Amino acid sequence: MTYALIGCCCLVFLIGPASGLVPSYGTGQALQEARSAYFNQWGVVPRTLLSGAVRPLAAPLTALFLHGNWLHLLGNLLFLFVFGGLVEQRMGPVRFALFYLGTGYVAMLCYAAAHPASGETLVGASGAISAVLGAFLYLHPHARVTSVFPFLYFLPLRFPAWVVLLFWLTVQWLAARQDGDGPGVAYLAHVVGFTLGFVYAWLCYRRAKVTGPTPASEGETPP
């Protein structure tokens, strides 16, 4: 299911205007206008979502598969690839898919509720992927994750998952406190998604935590 979600996000991006690969969307100003119209149609616009109309209520689900540019897409999918597989193993593919979609929906809804007058479009799987990170923190806190940090000269270092994820959450929380109604990254959706994922895993798996060797993150060898 993790690979299926990654594949869906890639496919939707490649056939949309944000990829810049589809000639029918045009170039230059025409491409920008097509991109804006595309995101307004399928993304989340907080003031529209909260207007009471029925159609915008589906927008948080469609917006989960949209991304603004190549960097946005690759950054999100890297996190999903690294952390999603082990969470899916614990939940099973069907429950994992429902968890992903449900937490992503609620994260976007909470962001819209916090910015009800905003006309900026919200797209991306960040809220759902943040929930995966939160669940991973509870289920596999001691798994080792290879990370690079700019202030450490991009040296690849291995840390326990709880160190990396709590550092990431702290950064998101500090950024969310500066969130405005203008364009940018929806840090609040990240914080909400992460919290939902952690609480869900705690409620559902607190009596069945795995014992034995610490699992490695995707692509690493278990210790």
PDB file of all heavy atoms in Angstrom, residues 18-38:
ATOM      1  N   ALA A  18       1.662  20.983 -12.761  1.00  0.00           N
ATOM      2  CA  ALA A  18       2.815  21.316 -11.925  1.00  0.00           C
ATOM      3  C   ALA A  18       4.091  20.631 -12.390  1.00  0.00           C
ATOM      4  O   ALA A  18       5.193  21.125 -12.143  1.00  0.00           O
ATOM      5  CB  ALA A  18       2.531  20.947 -10.465  1.00  0.00           C
ATOM      6  N   SER A  19       3.967  19.502 -13.072  1.00  0.00           N
ATOM      7  CA  SER A  19       5.156  18.788 -13.530  1.00  0.00           C
ATOM      8  C   SER A  19       5.827  19.488 -14.699  1.00  0.00           C
ATOM      9  O   SER A  19       7.032  19.337 -14.921  1.00  0.00           O
ATOM     10  CB  SER A  19       4.795  17.359 -13.946  1.00  0.00           C
ATOM     11  OG  SER A  19       4.008  17.361 -15.128  1.00  0.00           O
ATOM     12  N   GLY A  20       5.047  20.248 -15.470  1.00  0.00           N
ATOM     13  CA  GLY A  20       5.592  20.914 -16.651  1.00  0.00           C
ATOM     14  C   GLY A  20       5.872  19.983 -17.805  1.00  0.00           C
ATOM     15  O   GLY A  20       6.540  20.378 -18.770  1.00  0.00           O
ATOM     16  N   LEU A  21       5.354  18.748 -17.735  1.00  0.00           N
ATOM     17  CA  LEU A  21       5.658  17.747 -18.764  1.00  0.00           C
ATOM     18  C   LEU A  21       4.527  17.537 -19.770  1.00  0.00           C
ATOM     19  O   LEU A  21       4.708  16.801 -20.733  1.00  0.00           O
ATOM     20  CB  LEU A  21       5.989  16.403 -18.093  1.00  0.00           C
ATOM     21  CG  LEU A  21       7.194  16.398 -17.138  1.00  0.00           C
ATOM     22  CD1 LEU A  21       7.367  15.016 -16.522  1.00  0.00           C
ATOM     23  CD2 LEU A  21       8.457  16.814 -17.876  1.00  0.00           C
ATOM     24  N   VAL A  22       3.374  18.153 -19.533  1.00  0.00           N
ATOM     25  CA  VAL A  22       2.221  17.946 -20.412  1.00  0.00           C
ATOM     26  C   VAL A  22       2.064  19.158 -21.324  1.00  0.00           C
ATOM     27  O   VAL A  22       1.698  20.249 -20.858  1.00  0.00           O
ATOM     28  CB  VAL A  22       0.935  17.722 -19.587  1.00  0.00           C
ATOM     29  CG1 VAL A  22      -0.251  17.461 -20.518  1.00  0.00           C
ATOM     30  CG2 VAL A  22       1.118  16.570 -18.605  1.00  0.00           C
ATOM     31  N   PRO A  23       2.332  19.023 -22.620  1.00  0.00           N
ATOM     32  CA  PRO A  23       2.304  20.174 -23.540  1.00  0.00           C
ATOM     33  C   PRO A  23       0.962  20.882 -23.605  1.00  0.00           C
ATOM     34  O   PRO A  23       0.912  22.091 -23.875  1.00  0.00           O
ATOM     35  CB  PRO A  23       2.669  19.544 -24.896  1.00  0.00           C
ATOM     36  CG  PRO A  23       3.385  18.275 -24.550  1.00  0.00           C
ATOM     37  CD  PRO A  23       2.755  17.781 -23.280  1.00  0.00           C
ATOM     38  N   SER A  24      -0.136  20.161 -23.376  1.00  0.00           N
ATOM     39  CA  SER A  24      -1.456  20.768 -23.538  1.00  0.00           C
ATOM     40  C   SER A  24      -1.719  21.892 -22.537  1.00  0.00           C
ATOM     41  O   SER A  24      -2.618  22.712 -22.745  1.00  0.00           O
ATOM     42  CB  SER A  24      -2.543  19.698 -23.398  1.00  0.00           C
ATOM     43  OG  SER A  24      -2.502  19.091 -22.114  1.00  0.00           O
ATOM     44  N   TYR A  25      -0.967  21.948 -21.456  1.00  0.00           N
ATOM     45  CA  TYR A  25      -1.151  23.029 -20.487  1.00  0.00           C
ATOM     46  C   TYR A  25      -0.436  24.313 -20.911  1.00  0.00           C
ATOM     47  O   TYR A  25      -0.614  25.359 -20.279  1.00  0.00           O
ATOM     48  CB  TYR A  25      -0.642  22.607 -19.106  1.00  0.00           C
ATOM     49  CG  TYR A  25      -1.522  21.590 -18.421  1.00  0.00           C
ATOM     50  CD1 TYR A  25      -1.059  20.303 -18.194  1.00  0.00           C
ATOM     51  CD2 TYR A  25      -2.805  21.924 -18.009  1.00  0.00           C
ATOM     52  CE1 TYR A  25      -1.863  19.356 -17.558  1.00  0.00           C
ATOM     53  CE2 TYR A  25      -3.616  20.990 -17.372  1.00  0.00           C
ATOM     54  CZ  TYR A  25      -3.142  19.704 -17.153  1.00  0.00           C
ATOM     55  OH  TYR A  25      -3.947  18.773 -16.529  1.00  0.00           O
ATOM     56  N   GLY A  26       0.363  24.236 -21.954  1.00  0.00           N
ATOM     57  CA  GLY A  26       1.042  25.415 -22.454  1.00  0.00           C
ATOM     58  C   GLY A  26       2.330  25.695 -21.694  1.00  0.00           C
ATOM     59  O   GLY A  26       2.834  24.858 -20.933  1.00  0.00           O
ATOM     60  N   THR A  27       2.846  26.884 -21.882  1.00  0.00           N
ATOM     61  CA  THR A  27       4.085  27.296 -21.229  1.00  0.00           C
ATOM     62  C   THR A  27       3.918  28.709 -20.687  1.00  0.00           C
ATOM     63  O   THR A  27       2.951  29.400 -20.994  1.00  0.00           O
ATOM     64  CB  THR A  27       5.273  27.267 -22.211  1.00  0.00           C
ATOM     65  OG1 THR A  27       4.985  28.148 -23.312  1.00  0.00           O
ATOM     66  CG2 THR A  27       5.521  25.860 -22.730  1.00  0.00           C
ATOM     67  N   GLY A  28       4.884  29.143 -19.894  1.00  0.00           N
ATOM     68  CA  GLY A  28       4.888  30.515 -19.405  1.00  0.00           C
ATOM     69  C   GLY A  28       3.644  30.868 -18.612  1.00  0.00           C
ATOM     70  O   GLY A  28       3.210  30.140 -17.719  1.00  0.00           O
ATOM     71  N   GLN A  29       3.019  31.988 -18.969  1.00  0.00           N
ATOM     72  CA  GLN A  29       1.851  32.477 -18.251  1.00  0.00           C
ATOM     73  C   GLN A  29       0.676  31.514 -18.357  1.00  0.00           C
ATOM     74  O   GLN A  29      -0.078  31.324 -17.393  1.00  0.00           O
ATOM     75  CB  GLN A  29       1.441  33.848 -18.805  1.00  0.00           C
ATOM     76  CG  GLN A  29       0.296  34.508 -18.048  1.00  0.00           C
ATOM     77  CD  GLN A  29       0.637  34.797 -16.604  1.00  0.00           C
ATOM     78  OE1 GLN A  29       1.799  35.049 -16.273  1.00  0.00           O
ATOM     79  NE2 GLN A  29      -0.363  34.754 -15.729  1.00  0.00           N
ATOM     80  N   ALA A  30       0.511  30.886 -19.508  1.00  0.00           N
ATOM     81  CA  ALA A  30      -0.583  29.921 -19.680  1.00  0.00           C
ATOM     82  C   ALA A  30      -0.429  28.742 -18.730  1.00  0.00           C
ATOM     83  O   ALA A  30      -1.413  28.264 -18.147  1.00  0.00           O
ATOM     84  CB  ALA A  30      -0.616  29.431 -21.135  1.00  0.00           C
ATOM     85  N   LEU A  31       0.795  28.282 -18.551  1.00  0.00           N
ATOM     86  CA  LEU A  31       1.048  27.170 -17.640  1.00  0.00           C
ATOM     87  C   LEU A  31       0.756  27.579 -16.200  1.00  0.00           C
ATOM     88  O   LEU A  31       0.164  26.799 -15.431  1.00  0.00           O
ATOM     89  CB  LEU A  31       2.498  26.697 -17.772  1.00  0.00           C
ATOM     90  CG  LEU A  31       2.930  25.543 -16.862  1.00  0.00           C
ATOM     91  CD1 LEU A  31       2.090  24.303 -17.138  1.00  0.00           C
ATOM     92  CD2 LEU A  31       4.415  25.230 -17.055  1.00  0.00           C
ATOM     93  N   GLN A  32       1.141  28.790 -15.820  1.00  0.00           N
ATOM     94  CA  GLN A  32       0.874  29.271 -14.461  1.00  0.00           C
ATOM     95  C   GLN A  32      -0.625  29.376 -14.201  1.00  0.00           C
ATOM     96  O   GLN A  32      -1.112  29.036 -13.115  1.00  0.00           O
ATOM     97  CB  GLN A  32       1.553  30.627 -14.250  1.00  0.00           C
ATOM     98  CG  GLN A  32       3.072  30.566 -14.227  1.00  0.00           C
ATOM     99  CD  GLN A  32       3.606  29.672 -13.117  1.00  0.00           C
ATOM    100  OE1 GLN A  32       3.094  29.667 -11.997  1.00  0.00           O
ATOM    101  NE2 GLN A  32       4.638  28.910 -13.429  1.00  0.00           N
ATOM    102  N   GLU A  33      -1.361  29.871 -15.175  1.00  0.00           N
ATOM    103  CA  GLU A  33      -2.808  29.982 -15.020  1.00  0.00           C
ATOM    104  C   GLU A  33      -3.459  28.604 -14.929  1.00  0.00           C
ATOM    105  O   GLU A  33      -4.385  28.396 -14.137  1.00  0.00           O
ATOM    106  CB  GLU A  33      -3.392  30.767 -16.186  1.00  0.00           C
ATOM    107  CG  GLU A  33      -2.983  32.239 -16.186  1.00  0.00           C
ATOM    108  CD  GLU A  33      -3.483  32.979 -17.400  1.00  0.00           C
ATOM    109  OE1 GLU A  33      -4.095  32.337 -18.290  1.00  0.00           O
ATOM    110  OE2 GLU A  33      -3.267  34.213 -17.477  1.00  0.00           O
ATOM    111  N   ALA A  34      -2.985  27.649 -15.731  1.00  0.00           N
ATOM    112  CA  ALA A  34      -3.520  26.292 -15.683  1.00  0.00           C
ATOM    113  C   ALA A  34      -3.222  25.641 -14.342  1.00  0.00           C
ATOM    114  O   ALA A  34      -4.071  24.942 -13.766  1.00  0.00           O
ATOM    115  CB  ALA A  34      -2.926  25.455 -16.822  1.00  0.00           C
ATOM    116  N   ARG A  35      -2.027  25.881 -13.840  1.00  0.00           N
ATOM    117  CA  ARG A  35      -1.637  25.334 -12.536  1.00  0.00           C
ATOM    118  C   ARG A  35      -2.517  25.890 -11.419  1.00  0.00           C
ATOM    119  O   ARG A  35      -2.999  25.146 -10.559  1.00  0.00           O
ATOM    120  CB  ARG A  35      -0.167  25.662 -12.276  1.00  0.00           C
ATOM    121  CG  ARG A  35       0.406  25.166 -10.976  1.00  0.00           C
ATOM    122  CD  ARG A  35       1.892  25.508 -10.913  1.00  0.00           C
ATOM    123  NE  ARG A  35       2.493  25.100  -9.651  1.00  0.00           N
ATOM    124  CZ  ARG A  35       2.524  25.878  -8.568  1.00  0.00           C
ATOM    125  NH1 ARG A  35       1.981  27.090  -8.599  1.00  0.00           N
ATOM    126  NH2 ARG A  35       3.092  25.438  -7.458  1.00  0.00           N
ATOM    127  N   SER A  36      -2.756  27.197 -11.451  1.00  0.00           N
ATOM    128  CA  SER A  36      -3.589  27.824 -10.438  1.00  0.00           C
ATOM    129  C   SER A  36      -5.022  27.303 -10.494  1.00  0.00           C
ATOM    130  O   SER A  36      -5.628  26.998  -9.459  1.00  0.00           O
ATOM    131  CB  SER A  36      -3.574  29.345 -10.627  1.00  0.00           C
ATOM    132  OG  SER A  36      -4.393  29.982  -9.680  1.00  0.00           O
ATOM    133  N   ALA A  37      -5.571  27.193 -11.701  1.00  0.00           N
ATOM    134  CA  ALA A  37      -6.937  26.690 -11.855  1.00  0.00           C
ATOM    135  C   ALA A  37      -7.041  25.232 -11.409  1.00  0.00           C
ATOM    136  O   ALA A  37      -8.033  24.827 -10.777  1.00  0.00           O
ATOM    137  CB  ALA A  37      -7.371  26.829 -13.317  1.00  0.00           C
ATOM    138  N   TYR A  38      -6.032  24.453 -11.702  1.00  0.00           N
ATOM    139  CA  TYR A  38      -6.000  23.032 -11.334  1.00  0.00           C
ATOM    140  C   TYR A  38      -6.004  22.871  -9.813  1.00  0.00           C
ATOM    141  O   TYR A  38      -6.758  22.073  -9.254  1.00  0.00           O
ATOM    142  CB  TYR A  38      -4.752  22.406 -11.947  1.00  0.00           C
ATOM    143  CG  TYR A  38      -4.599  20.917 -11.772  1.00  0.00           C
ATOM    144  CD1 TYR A  38      -5.294  20.031 -12.591  1.00  0.00           C
ATOM    145  CD2 TYR A  38      -3.735  20.396 -10.810  1.00  0.00           C
ATOM    146  CE1 TYR A  38      -5.126  18.657 -12.452  1.00  0.00           C
ATOM    147  CE2 TYR A  38      -3.572  19.036 -10.661  1.00  0.00           C
ATOM    148  CZ  TYR A  38      -4.269  18.173 -11.487  1.00  0.00           C
ATOM    149  OH  TYR A  38      -4.102  16.806 -11.337  1.00  0.00           O
TER     150      TYR A  38
END
